[in-house]
Amino acid sequence: MLDLLDQHGAMTTAELAVSRGVRHQTMAATVKELTEAGFLAARAHPSDARKKVLTLTPDGKNAIDQDRRYRDGVLAHAVADTLDDGEQLLLARALLLINRITGTIADSGLSPSPDRGPVTGAW
Protein backbone atom coordinates (compact mmCIF):
# COMPACT_ATOMS: atom_id res chain seq x y z
CA MET A 1 0.00 0.00 0.00
CA LEU A 2 2.83 2.39 0.79
CA ASP A 3 4.25 1.59 -2.64
CA LEU A 4 0.94 2.47 -4.30
CA LEU A 5 0.87 5.85 -2.62
CA ASP A 6 4.50 6.45 -3.46
CA GLN A 7 4.05 5.51 -7.11
CA HIS A 8 0.62 7.06 -7.73
CA GLY A 9 0.32 9.86 -5.21
CA ALA A 10 -2.52 10.63 -2.83
CA MET A 11 -5.48 8.25 -2.79
CA THR A 12 -8.59 7.61 -0.73
CA THR A 13 -9.16 4.43 1.25
CA ALA A 14 -11.74 3.37 -1.33
CA GLU A 15 -9.27 3.87 -4.19
CA LEU A 16 -6.64 1.85 -2.34
CA ALA A 17 -9.14 -0.94 -1.68
CA VAL A 18 -10.11 -1.14 -5.35
CA SER A 19 -6.48 -1.11 -6.47
CA ARG A 20 -5.64 -4.03 -4.15
CA GLY A 21 -8.86 -5.93 -4.76
CA VAL A 22 -9.97 -5.93 -1.12
CA ARG A 23 -13.04 -4.71 0.73
CA HIS A 24 -13.14 -1.13 1.96
CA GLN A 25 -13.33 -2.31 5.57
CA THR A 26 -10.19 -4.41 5.16
CA MET A 27 -8.28 -1.48 3.70
CA ALA A 28 -9.61 0.87 6.39
CA ALA A 29 -8.08 -1.35 9.07
CA THR A 30 -4.72 -1.29 7.28
CA VAL A 31 -4.94 2.49 6.81
CA LYS A 32 -5.64 2.89 10.53
CA GLU A 33 -2.59 0.80 11.49
CA LEU A 34 -0.28 2.64 9.10
CA THR A 35 -1.59 6.03 10.21
CA GLU A 36 -1.06 5.13 13.87
CA ALA A 37 2.46 3.96 12.99
CA GLY A 38 3.15 7.39 11.50
CA PHE A 39 3.49 6.21 7.88
CA LEU A 40 0.34 7.88 6.51
CA ALA A 41 -1.28 11.28 6.86
CA ALA A 42 -4.94 11.94 6.15
CA ARG A 43 -6.38 15.26 5.03
CA ALA A 44 -9.84 16.31 3.95
CA HIS A 45 -10.86 15.48 0.40
CA PRO A 46 -11.12 18.71 -1.62
CA SER A 47 -14.61 17.98 -2.99
CA ASP A 48 -16.13 15.52 -0.49
CA ALA A 49 -15.75 16.24 3.22
CA ARG A 50 -16.81 12.65 4.05
CA LYS A 51 -13.61 11.29 2.48
CA LYS A 52 -9.98 11.52 3.50
CA VAL A 53 -7.06 11.74 1.11
CA LEU A 54 -4.08 9.65 2.21
CA THR A 55 -0.44 10.53 1.60
CA LEU A 56 2.88 9.16 2.76
CA THR A 57 4.56 10.91 5.65
CA PRO A 58 8.35 11.30 5.61
CA ASP A 59 8.51 8.20 7.84
CA GLY A 60 6.32 6.31 5.39
CA LYS A 61 8.51 7.34 2.46
CA ASN A 62 11.59 6.27 4.42
CA ALA A 63 10.01 2.89 5.26
CA ILE A 64 9.19 2.11 1.62
CA ASP A 65 12.62 3.27 0.46
CA GLN A 66 14.34 1.07 3.07
CA ASP A 67 12.21 -1.91 2.05
CA ARG A 68 13.10 -1.41 -1.61
CA ARG A 69 16.82 -1.17 -0.82
CA TYR A 70 16.61 -4.36 1.25
CA ARG A 71 14.78 -6.25 -1.52
CA ASP A 72 17.24 -4.97 -4.14
CA GLY A 73 20.13 -6.20 -2.00
CA VAL A 74 18.62 -9.64 -1.48
CA LEU A 75 17.96 -9.99 -5.19
CA ALA A 76 21.45 -8.75 -6.15
CA HIS A 77 23.09 -11.24 -3.79
CA ALA A 78 20.93 -14.10 -5.07
CA VAL A 79 21.77 -13.25 -8.68
CA ALA A 80 25.50 -12.99 -7.91
CA ASP A 81 25.50 -16.23 -5.92
CA THR A 82 23.41 -18.20 -8.41
CA LEU A 83 24.28 -17.05 -11.92
CA ASP A 84 27.61 -16.98 -13.73
CA ASP A 85 28.68 -13.91 -15.71
CA GLY A 86 27.07 -15.13 -18.94
CA GLU A 87 23.78 -15.89 -17.21
CA GLN A 88 23.81 -12.48 -15.52
CA LEU A 89 24.24 -10.83 -18.93
CA LEU A 90 21.39 -12.93 -20.32
CA LEU A 91 19.20 -11.91 -17.38
CA ALA A 92 20.01 -8.23 -17.95
CA ARG A 93 19.01 -8.55 -21.61
CA ALA A 94 15.82 -10.36 -20.67
CA LEU A 95 14.90 -7.60 -18.23
CA LEU A 96 15.26 -5.02 -21.02
CA LEU A 97 12.81 -7.05 -23.11
CA ILE A 98 10.39 -7.40 -20.19
CA ASN A 99 10.53 -3.63 -19.66
CA ARG A 100 9.64 -3.09 -23.31
CA ILE A 101 6.71 -5.49 -23.03
CA THR A 102 5.36 -3.93 -19.84
CA GLY A 103 5.79 -0.48 -21.38
CA THR A 104 3.62 -1.56 -24.29
CA ILE A 105 0.98 -2.84 -21.88
CA ALA A 106 1.05 0.39 -19.88
CA ASP A 107 0.84 2.54 -23.02
CA SER A 108 -2.07 0.52 -24.41
CA GLY A 109 -4.23 0.89 -21.33
CA LEU A 110 -4.73 -2.88 -21.28
CA SER A 111 -4.45 -3.46 -17.57
CA PRO A 112 -6.32 -6.06 -15.53
CA SER A 113 -9.89 -5.15 -14.67
CA PRO A 114 -10.48 -4.07 -11.07
CA ASP A 115 -13.39 -6.53 -10.73
CA ARG A 116 -11.23 -9.64 -11.09
CA GLY A 117 -11.18 -10.22 -7.36
CA PRO A 118 -8.41 -10.26 -4.78
CA VAL A 119 -5.57 -11.61 -6.86
CA THR A 120 -1.96 -10.46 -6.63
CA GLY A 121 -2.15 -6.87 -7.75
CA ALA A 122 -1.87 -4.94 -10.97
CA TRP A 123 0.74 -7.19 -12.62
Side-chain angles (χ1 to χ4, degrees), residues 34-54:
L34 291 171
T35 302
E36 288 173 355
F39 295 150
L40 297 180
R43 60 178 161 75
H45 191 282
S47 62
D48 187 344
R50 297 169 298 168
K51 297 180 183 179
K52 298 286 184 198
V53 178
L54 304 165

Side-chain angles (χ1 to χ4, degrees), residues 8 21 28 34 40-41 51 53 56 59-60 76 79 82 88 111 113 119:
H8 301 288
L34 291 171
L40 297 180
K51 297 180 183 179
V53 178
L56 288 177
D59 285 345
V79 168
T82 307
Q88 289 181 38
S111 60
S113 66
V119 196

Side-chain angles (χ1 to χ4, degrees), residues 1-17 19-20 27 30-31 34-35 39-43 52-57 60-61 64-65 68:
M1 198 179 92
L2 297 179
D3 184 62
L4 280 171
L5 291 170
D6 189 44
Q7 296 293 320
H8 301 288
M11 300 173 85
T12 65
T13 301
E15 291 167 335
L16 286 167
S19 71
R20 298 305 304 149
M27 185 57 69
T30 302
V31 164
L34 291 171
T35 302
F39 295 150
L40 297 180
R43 60 178 161 75
K52 298 286 184 198
V53 178
L54 304 165
T55 57
L56 288 177
T57 63
K61 177 68 172 148
I64 193 69
D65 288 345
R68 287 177 182 145

